Amino acid sequence: MSQKIKVLVVDDSAIVRKIITDALSKDPAIEVVGTAIDPYVARDKILQLNPDVLTLDIEMPRMDGLTFLKIIMEHRPMPVIIMSSLTQAGSKYALEALNSGAVDVLAKPSGSYSVGQLAEILPERVKEAAAAKIKFKTAKETVAREEAKKPVAGTSVTSSQFHPRQLILLGASTGGTEALKDVLTQMPDGLPGICIVQHIPAYFSKTFADRLNEICAFRVREAQDGDRVERGLALIAPGGFHMTVKWYGDHYKVHLNQDAMVCHQRPAVDVLFESGAKEAKKYVTSAILTGMGKDGAEGMLKLRQAGARTLGQSEETCVVYGMPRAAFECGAVEKVVDLPDMAKALVNAVTSLKE
């Protein structure tokens, strides 16, 4: 029998600690080795218990989770899943946590988002986190990394060079918020419309889109049903909704639905990619980025069979080489690309389309 994944649960709420512990204890591959009411207790228990994964609350007394996360990533990097409240502030802090090295963010049960839903997805997310590659990340390195990013082809490109049916489709999961930021902030304005599926909880996707909108050369926003796909615009699927594209004679629109989960996900990359294969065929340029599981592999295969350009992130640069691996192994990936080169590869593929 393989060794169990050891988890330390850090939350000041006894109720939340019990909910998380109960959810994880039902999975035979996971062992909750301890709990902590704040970062000071957690620090001692990390040294004592050597956990594989940490679940971490953001709002706690004595020291907030975000500060503790930055300390962890600088001195003892490990996979951390942030547990955040479904509020605007909670979403903002959660995205800052992802930027600071957390591998995933989950919403705490609240309202329509039930304890049962959390219990269903949390064990799988812990397994994904345990497989993630975590590196030391200092505050100075983070700042330097952000300052180094520049669009690969200036601030804009000439829109007249693109066919009206061209489309860029991107999919990502674990580690994807940072990977997408790396790619999108290096891409110029004026490209064909971009549609993105990132596995992210409802409520957090809008904050993610708003953050990208502030730092990209083009507009980025959370998609709404019926939105027109336009040049110089990136639409991100809302958490909890599948997103598809459809051609309407001279433009694409996106449509949202809450159909059954695909690969345990909604939104699912497969759903977006399969609609692209049907509606846009060879006019699609696509990339599948870091993430656990196989979502996107079948959809990307259909894209490639339809004549689309298909790129997959390299194993060396993935936080979790799951989705790109599945796509590569089924023959869906035309070209494997390191993350720092992905923006350039996408732009080159888009601009090289021949009628």
Side-chain angles (χ1 to χ4, degrees):
M1 183 178 175
S2 59
Q3 194 172 1
K4 291 186 176 184
I5 298 168
K6 297 186 294 183
V7 180
L8 178 65
V9 177
V10 186
D11 199 295
D12 64 314
S13 165
I15 294 173
V16 173
R17 292 198 303 273
K18 186 176 189 312
I19 289 171
I20 294 174
T21 300
D22 288 350
L24 295 177
S25 297
K26 293 175 183 177
D27 193 306
I30 298 171
E31 179 186 4
V32 177
V33 293
T35 64
I37 62 171
D38 64 35
Y40 292 95
V41 176
R43 176 193 59 191
D44 295 337
K45 292 202 173 183
I46 288 172
L47 295 172
Q48 174 192 348
L49 301 170
N50 194 30
D52 301 307
V53 177
L54 204 71
T55 70
L56 180 62
D57 184 20
I58 289 181
E59 299 174 44
M60 290 182 291
R62 297 216 289 169
M63 182 190 293
D64 66 271
L66 200 53
T67 300
F68 185 48
L69 173 68
K70 292 174 181 177
I71 293 171
I72 290 172
M73 288 303 143
E74 188 162 354
H75 299 286
R76 204 282 195 187
M78 62 186 297
V80 176
I81 297 175
I82 293 295
M83 306 298 297
S84 181
S85 57
L86 293 173
T87 63
Q88 186 173 356
S91 298
K92 177 184 175 183
Y93 293 141
L95 287 177
E96 190 174 344
L98 290 168
N99 184 51
S100 299
V103 296
D104 206 351
V105 55
L106 288 175
K108 289 185 175 183
S110 174
S112 60
Y113 178 66
S114 68
V115 172
Q117 287 174 297
L118 177 65
E120 188 177 338
I121 63 174
L122 183 56
E124 290 305 313
R125 295 299 185 88
V126 165
K127 292 173 187 175
E128 291 180 18
K133 290 184 290 189
I134 308 299
K135 299 176 182 178
F136 285 92
K137 190 170 186 178
T138 66
K140 287 183 180 179
E141 287 172 338
T142 300
V143 171
R145 191 166 161 230
E146 296 307 310
E147 290 179 347
K149 288 186 177 52
K150 293 179 182 177
V152 295
T155 56
S156 65
V157 291
T158 305
S159 60
S160 59
Q161 70 188 98
F162 302 122
H163 191 281
R165 295 200 70 156
Q166 280 189 264
L167 197 59
I168 299 171
L169 304 180
L170 307 176
S173 185
T174 313
T177 54
E178 285 302 290
L180 283 167
K181 186 174 75 172
D182 285 352
V183 173
L184 295 173
T185 53
Q186 293 183 72
M187 294 175 71
D189 193 11
L191 291 170
I194 304 171
C195 296
I196 301 165
V197 165
Q198 160 70 45
H199 297 162
I200 196 169
Y203 305 98
F204 297 150
S205 47
K206 184 179 185 303
T207 305
F208 177 50
D210 290 347
R211 179 77 59 88
L212 287 173
N213 188 57
E214 294 173 358
I215 58 177
C216 289
F218 43 85
R219 293 171 294 144
V220 184
R221 57 183 169 83
E222 184 184 59
Q224 296 181 6
D225 188 56
D227 272 347
R228 184 168 176 148
V229 181
E230 301 173 342
R231 287 175 181 153
L233 172 67
L235 295 171
I236 295 179
F241 288 84
H242 292 309
M243 182 167 72
T244 62
V245 293
K246 187 170 179 59
W247 179 251
Y248 285 90
D250 63 353
H251 66 277
Y252 294 102
K253 286 184 180 179
V254 296
H255 294 289
L256 307 178
N257 68 69
Q258 289 190 300
D259 291 348
M261 290 188 178
V262 174
C263 295
H264 309 290
Q265 302 292 340
R266 191 173 59 225
V269 182
D270 269 331
V271 173
L272 176 64
F273 282 6
E274 287 176 11
S275 71
K278 179 182 176 183
E279 297 290 321
K281 299 181 174 63
K282 71 173 185 177
Y283 296 106
V284 173
T285 298
S286 62
I288 191 161
L289 306 178
T290 176
M292 191 75 171
K294 61 179 183 178
D295 183 28
E298 289 187 12
M300 180 167 268
L301 181 59
K302 290 179 180 178
L303 279 171
R304 190 172 189 189
Q305 290 169 341
R309 304 298 301 275
T310 58
L311 310 177
Q313 186 179 342
S314 66
E315 180 174 5
E316 294 76 18
T317 62
C318 280
V319 173
V320 177
Y321 187 57
M323 287 161 47
R325 182 200 296 275
F328 177 80
E329 289 179 347
C330 76
V333 174
E334 170 194 350
K335 184 179 181 181
V336 175
V337 182
D338 290 339
L339 183 63
D341 302 322
M342 185 61 78
K344 184 176 181 180
L346 285 166
V347 172
N348 287 343
V350 170
T351 54
S352 64
L353 179 73
K354 300 292 188 293
E355 270 302 307

